[in-house]
Amino acid sequence: MKKPLVGAIFAVALIGATAAPATAVSDAARTPAKQQTQQTQQTKQKPVKAKAKAVNFAGTVALSNCSGSVVRVPNSQPGDPALVMSNGHCLESGFPGPGQVIVDKPSSRSFTLLNSSGGNAGTVKASKIAYGTMTDTDVSLYQLTSTYSQIESKFGIKALELNAAHPEKGKAITVVSGYWKKMYKCSVDGFAYRLKEGSWTWKDSVRYTSACQTIGGTSGSPVVDDATGKVVAVNNTGNESGERCTDNNPCEVDENGKVTVREGINYAQQTYGIVPCVAAGNKIDLNRAGCTLPKP
């Protein structure tokens, strides 16, 4: 996790620089990687295998300092105001403090919406920060001025769906960065009981295999399950230099308090826990049955 930098001109000037795997925009950029897709074929003699979803950039967004995506839950309706998901540490107001939860705060933030190839499809705008925190998780949810149907009609872009189930170890995943227009492909290596970084602690974090060397600016990127095309986590941090539990160097803490440092390994925060907190009309309801997101 890096402190976000603002200003598009400054960000462009950073392209080509070298950086450690952080998440909010820092001093890094890398050449965008080509997307890979998988297909299966049906034969008369064998059962049909489920096709892997073609992961692309459609529905992802670029913030001024981070990445994000237009998301929906299974029960979201076409006429609901759309939601954009990113990290809590990507909020324009700065990092929320430990224990701080932001709800229903007015915002006029703009997001660049991407099409499937990573091109600029247009701009969508927030009406408020519906939810934001860095406690237990690292997430922000912006409510937009547009509905899902309006976005689809105007831009031809559909929202990404949050998976309501816990992600699984070993599953192939893709971290899709709208900021850098780059994809990182790897697998879920496992889960950190607690992930501690500086003043913040996150629960049940997703640990990537080493192939996902995410960099500054990938904060808030959706982590997509390649098999289903659904979002299972939101990318947020990585251990840059092997330090223990410091800013930009998270450490894992198990149930017995044992600390493990994994230099160069990156992490995300699971998103299935958001689903029970979204009520009719895409309203965030922290008192809804099954909702365990931190409350103010």
Side-chain angles (χ1 to χ4, degrees), residues 242-288:
E243 293 182 10
R244 178 185 169 107
C245 315
T246 62
D247 289 350
N248 307 318
N249 290 282
C251 63
E252 298 183 22
V253 184
D254 69 12
E255 295 90 333
N256 299 314
K258 179 183 176 181
V259 174
T260 301
V261 174
R262 302 178 191 269
E263 182 176 358
I265 294 299
N266 299 289
Y267 300 88
Q269 302 310 307
Q270 300 182 37
T271 51
Y272 77 99
I274 295 171
V275 176
C277 305
V278 182
N282 264 6
K283 179 178 174 56
I284 305 300
D285 182 357
L286 301 178
N287 295 313
R288 198 163 182 256

Side-chain angles (χ1 to χ4, degrees), residues 30 95 220 232 255 274 279:
R30 297 185 181 181
F95 290 12
V232 296
E255 295 90 333
I274 295 171

Side-chain angles (χ1 to χ4, degrees), residues 115-136:
N115 59 27
S116 60
S117 63
N120 183 345
T123 300
V124 292
K125 190 174 182 179
S127 62
K128 68 178 181 180
I129 301 168
Y131 185 84
T133 193
M134 288 177 66
T135 298
D136 293 352

Side-chain angles (χ1 to χ4, degrees), residues 1-2 22-23 89 95 134 138 197 200 202 236-238 248:
M1 184 181 69
K2 283 277 191 175
T23 48
H89 79 261
F95 290 12
M134 288 177 66
D138 184 4
E197 179 174 340
W200 295 275
W202 304 305
N236 82 310
T237 196
N248 307 318

Side-chain angles (χ1 to χ4, degrees), residues 72 74 161-167 225 228 230-232 271-273 275:
R72 62 184 296 273
E161 184 176 329
L162 299 184
N163 196 331
H166 191 289
D225 183 318
T228 65
K230 295 182 179 181
V231 177
V232 296
T271 51
Y272 77 99
V275 176

Side-chain angles (χ1 to χ4, degrees), residues 123-167:
T123 300
V124 292
K125 190 174 182 179
S127 62
K128 68 178 181 180
I129 301 168
Y131 185 84
T133 193
M134 288 177 66
T135 298
D136 293 352
T137 185
D138 184 4
V139 69
S140 59
L141 293 166
Y142 289 85
Q143 181 175 297
L144 301 185
T145 57
S146 306
T147 65
Y148 294 115
S149 60
Q150 288 171 335
I151 291 173
E152 186 171 357
S153 176
K154 184 174 181 179
F155 304 112
I157 303 295
K158 293 184 177 181
L160 301 177
E161 184 176 329
L162 299 184
N163 196 331
H166 191 289

